[in-house]
Amino acid sequence: MTNDMVSRLGNAMVLDTEGQPVRLGSRWEEKPIVLAMIRHFG
Amino acid sequence: MLCKEQVAEFRDFIPRIRAAGGDLVVLGNGSPQQAAWFLEDFPMDATVLVDPERTTYAIVGAMRPRVPGIRTLLAAWRAFRKGFRQTGTKGDALQLGGVFVLTPAPEMPYIYLSRFAGDHPDPAGSVKTLEALAGS
C-alpha cells in the first residue's frame, strides 16, 4: 500500500512557482525530504 | 492563516532538516502565481511547488470535508491569537493536507494526514524521523 503510494506520488507531475513541470519524486531521489502538503496559500 | 501558521512552524525547523541531510518541500494546491505571491509575503528557504489539480492529495488520501467544523474554528482562533491573518484564499480551502517524510530508498517512514483544517503535526516528529535516518 505505502510502496504503491510512494511510487504514484513520485511519478506525479506538479509545478514550480514559475509554472514549470516537476516530477515530484525527483525531490527525494538524492536526499530525504519533509513534504508538507498545505491546504492553500492564504 | 492556518497554512501560514503551519509553514512558520516548519520554517523554524529548516536548519535541523538541513543538518540531517534533508530538504523541506512545501506543496500547495494553488497556482504557481499564488505560490510566488505567498513566498514574497512569507519567504523561506524551501522548495515550494503546486498541484492545482490536487492529484497528489488524492494519492495520499488527504481528506476534503464539505464544511469546516468546530475544531477548525478553534484552530483558526489559535492562529489568530499568534498573529497570523487570512489574506485571501489561494487554492481549495476545503482541501486538507498532511506531512510526510520521503527517502531515496524510496520509502515513506513518516505519514501524518490532517483530520481538519489547522490539524498540524508538531514538526519535531517528522524532523526526528529524518534525524534517525541520518544517524542510521
Side-chain angles (χ1 to χ4, degrees):
Chain A
M1 170 69 177
T2 304
N3 286 345
D4 178 57
M5 185 196 299
V6 173
S7 175
R8 292 170 59 209
L9 198 59
N11 287 324
M13 297 303 293
V14 295
L15 303 171
D16 65 18
T17 55
E18 296 181 347
Q20 297 301 310
V22 175
R23 189 176 64 80
L24 187 57
S26 67
R27 300 291 90 188
W28 63 81
E29 279 178 353
E30 296 185 359
K31 59 172 69 172
I33 67 164
V34 174
L35 175 64
M37 294 177 69
I38 64 174
R39 292 172 48 239
H40 63 87
F41 294 106
Chain B
M1 66 182 147
L2 293 169
C3 298
K4 287 177 186 163
E5 178 189 45
Q6 182 179 23
V7 170
E9 289 168 355
F10 266 106
R11 194 165 58 173
D12 294 342
F13 278 80
I14 289 176
R16 276 180 62 180
I17 292 172
R18 290 278 162 73
D23 269 332
L24 173 64
V25 176
V26 176
L27 178 65
N29 69 58
S31 69
Q33 181 67 69
Q34 290 167 336
W37 288 335
F38 184 82
L39 271 176
E40 284 178 15
D41 289 343
F42 217 75
M44 63 182 144
D45 186 18
T47 300
V48 177
L49 301 168
V50 298
D51 179 11
E53 303 298 323
R54 296 185 287 114
T55 304
T56 53
Y57 291 81
I59 290 172
V60 300
M63 290 183 277
R64 189 180 182 282
R66 298 177 69 158
V67 292
I70 185 68
R71 291 182 296 184
T72 295
L73 297 176
L74 291 171
W77 175 241
R78 177 194 68 211
F80 184 84
R81 290 181 62 189
K82 289 181 184 175
F84 296 99
R85 297 293 182 269
Q86 187 73 35
T87 53
T89 301
K90 303 175 181 71
D92 185 332
L94 294 177
Q95 178 65 63
L96 304 184
V99 177
F100 312 87
V101 171
L102 290 140
T103 76
E107 292 173 343
M108 187 187 279
Y110 180 93
I111 302 173
Y112 188 98
L113 288 170
S114 296
R115 298 159 295 174
F116 55 91
D119 177 26
H120 309 151
D122 183 342
S126 53
V127 174
K128 283 178 182 171
T129 299
L130 262 191
E131 291 171 337
L133 289 168
S136 62

